Amino acid sequence: MPKKYFFIIFIFIVISFAFNYSTQDIINKVDNKTIQNKLNLKLDSALNIIHKNNYKAQTLANFCLYESQKIKNKFLEMRSQYVLGKAFFSIDSINDSQKHFNKALILSEEIEDYWYKGEILNRIAINQYRTNDTKLALETFNDALYYSKESKNYKAIGSSYSMIGTIFRVNGVYSRAIEYFIKSRLNYRKANFNEGDAWVAYLLGQVNSDLRNSEKALKYFKEALGKYHILNSIDGNTNGLAMCYEQIALLNLEFGNLDEANKNINILLKIYSKTNSKYGISSSYSLLGKLEYLKGNYKQAQEHLYKSLEIKNNYLNLHGKSSIYEYLGLCLIKSGHLNEGLQKINKGLEIALSTKSKKNQLTIYSKLAEVYLGLNDLKKVIYYKNKQIEVQDLILFGEADIQIEQLHTFYELDEKNQQINQLKKEKEVNILKIEQQKIYQILMGLVILIIIIIAIIIYLFYNKLLHKNNELNILNTTKNKIFSIIAHDLRSPFNTILGFSDLLSSNAKKLETTKIVKFSQHINSEAANTLSLLDNLLNWAKSQTGQIAFKPKKQNIQTLILQILEELNPTAELKNITLHYLHPEEIEVYADTHMLKTILRNIITNAIKFTHPKGNISICIKQKNKFTEIAVSDDGIGMNDESRNRLFTLHTNDTTKGTANEKGSGLGLIICKEFIEKHGGKIWVTSELDKGTNFYFSLPNEVK
């Protein structure tokens, strides 16, 4: 063989390999993209229903987690863990929430997703704060700010600023708290996050409440409540409403508006009971206790306070406990149990000091001074009044109260940020180097491609006269490929028949009757399938070569249908499938007898193949104008749109197995289409996965 032919063959092999590889790669990418889109939509849905149906949200997220791990998609796995973290957080399950957030954080670091890393760190920091690890929470919030700023995640930036401001507020550093709240509001507005805007209004209300600006505080809480009512009408989330009603109830208690406070608390309890928030229910009972105390119902007040304390004892969070102990103590003192009451109040003071809650410290010192004044113990009255003045001074000049430990934390964080920035620069340099290498590889690939294209052009010009012969060779190659596929499909059932028949011939005397019957059924089934395939192959070959004579005539279609049903009934009985003919009336069509039998046999056999055992197949006939429409319907496995669109094309390598693992070549339906169109009719299909399939075809009632 001349050398030029070796070169030409080599070029074609290279191009064919590249084309096949690229095509398969594109198909895989499209399939993966479809799965990813579906999982992303499910996770979006889970996020939207966390507060309405937490169990369903968890179920969806767990499903997505399993599927994302199966397809090894770390981004979706990270999102699934993040959604589970939020779901557990919303039901006050902090440990479970933290577990999922930690897993999500590891995944975000692996895939270097700064947007989600900032979001997840912010959530982890909130959990740390709720479990009283304030120093660690500050460090984590700072990390969250860094990654959120890098990815321009303004919502997470706003959340981190608001929480850092809250830490300053709790420590009595109100000017710094207000500074961070304003930063928070600006970023929330950049993100167009209305819920964040409402949240900042609520926080500003808390600042003014702490500073005893009660009227201004009420104004901010009502502003926040109005915003949360609008949001509630959109997403049904009641958390913001609950927070506002709680603070408004506290202010009404302070103003002495007990009836109004009672209304606020009942609304609050109703909201928290509906969402099953244990933390919220505890706060509601705490407020009811304070209300009953102010009314003078000390026994009932204690019942509510103990209920609140019992729920809070199940959580690590100390916030709110100091106030409960304070009012339990006051109730006991009013009921004549002085020593026990003082113990409870001091327990509340101990918690207020540990949580650095200046507001609670101030209130408890004031109450203790009142108690000892009633006992005429002036020494202790002066002591607690001095402590009260000391806390008031710290509130007024709160800048001096920034803890040395927290200042040290901020300095450490600044140093850490400088190191991160340096690492970031080094990373950017490495990325540039990698990009340069990629550009070099792409250029080399283009050079190789250009060389191949030039070689092809030379080949085409050199072999201009052989162009038509090449086209014929390609057509012949395609036909040979089809026949090789069919030959493969024929070989497999013969192996099965030979295997089972060999077992029968060698061991017939030893085998049990049931096994002999079973083996015989297998042989019969495979032989029937093979015969059907051979018939289809012969019909197709004759059709392609024009050897089939088309002799249409007027005939009774009912007679032909009954013949085919009688012929296929044994095959259906093997799977306990019932065949129904739903049109007893006689209808005549203008058709070729042999072709019509082939059409009916193939379509009904196809229905038996994809129908579950004990299923049903029905054949129905309708007359429409000058055509008769025949429908073959089953309640089998059905198919999706992609499979339905490929039915009448020759995809022999991609056929679906039947419900009893029956094999097929896909050739039968192609023959049906050719024969029906030869009559001037049409064939079409409707189907739904797991609901069944309907094959329809039409035939003329008379000669055209």
Side-chain angles (χ1 to χ4, degrees), residues 549-557 560 588-597 599-600 630 675-676 678-680 697-703:
F550 179 57
K551 297 179 179 179
K553 63 179 181 180
K554 276 268 188 180
Q555 54 187 306
N556 188 343
I557 192 170
L560 291 178
E588 287 190 336
V589 294
Y590 189 76
D592 181 281
T593 304
H594 174 73
M595 288 187 179
L596 184 51
K597 281 185 177 181
I599 294 164
L600 290 167
I630 300 97
F675 284 0
I676 290 165
K678 197 170 187 69
H679 283 81
F697 67 94
S698 61
L699 294 171
N701 295 331
E702 54 188 33
V703 64

Side-chain angles (χ1 to χ4, degrees), residues 295-423:
K295 288 182 177 180
N297 302 326
Y298 305 122
K299 185 177 180 181
Q300 197 170 353
Q302 286 181 69
E303 288 177 5
H304 290 313
L305 292 166
Y306 275 118
K307 271 186 183 179
S308 175
L309 189 61
E310 183 183 354
I311 297 170
K312 269 192 167 51
N313 284 334
N314 292 322
Y315 301 94
L316 296 173
N317 192 357
L318 294 174
H319 297 290
K321 279 189 178 181
S322 63
S323 180
I324 296 172
Y325 279 110
E326 174 194 345
Y327 276 88
L328 277 172
L330 292 172
C331 287
L332 287 165
I333 291 169
K334 290 288 186 179
S335 303
H337 304 285
L338 178 63
N339 291 332
E340 190 181 351
L342 287 171
Q343 285 177 0
K344 296 289 185 188
I345 295 174
N346 282 310
K347 175 71 173 177
L349 178 60
E350 182 184 329
I351 293 170
L353 290 168
S354 70
T355 58
K356 300 181 178 63
S357 174
K358 299 291 186 292
K359 182 180 178 181
N360 287 344
Q361 290 170 32
L362 190 65
T363 304
I364 293 172
Y365 284 138
S366 175
K367 295 295 182 185
L368 284 169
E370 288 177 14
V371 170
Y372 282 109
L373 182 62
L375 295 172
N376 231 4
D377 189 339
L378 298 180
K379 186 177 179 181
K380 286 189 176 178
V381 171
I382 293 168
Y383 171 77
Y384 285 116
K385 279 293 180 183
N386 284 334
K387 295 297 288 185
Q388 187 180 351
I389 292 166
E390 183 182 325
V391 174
Q392 283 175 330
D393 287 343
L394 288 172
I395 290 173
L396 291 173
F397 305 101
E399 298 293 346
D401 192 43
I402 301 177
Q403 300 297 319
I404 293 173
E405 183 183 3
Q406 290 181 10
L407 277 174
H408 184 64
T409 300
F410 278 113
Y411 287 130
E412 285 179 345
L413 294 175
D414 286 339
E415 187 178 345
K416 182 180 176 183
N417 285 337
Q418 289 176 1
Q419 292 173 354
I420 291 171
N421 287 331
Q422 183 61 35
L423 289 171

Side-chain angles (χ1 to χ4, degrees), residues 32 39 60 127 163 254 358 362 410 440 484 527 565 657:
N32 283 335
L39 292 178
L60 280 172
N127 279 345
M163 289 305 300
E254 181 187 326
K358 299 291 186 292
L362 190 65
F410 278 113
Y440 174 76
S484 69
L565 290 178
K657 289 186 177 181

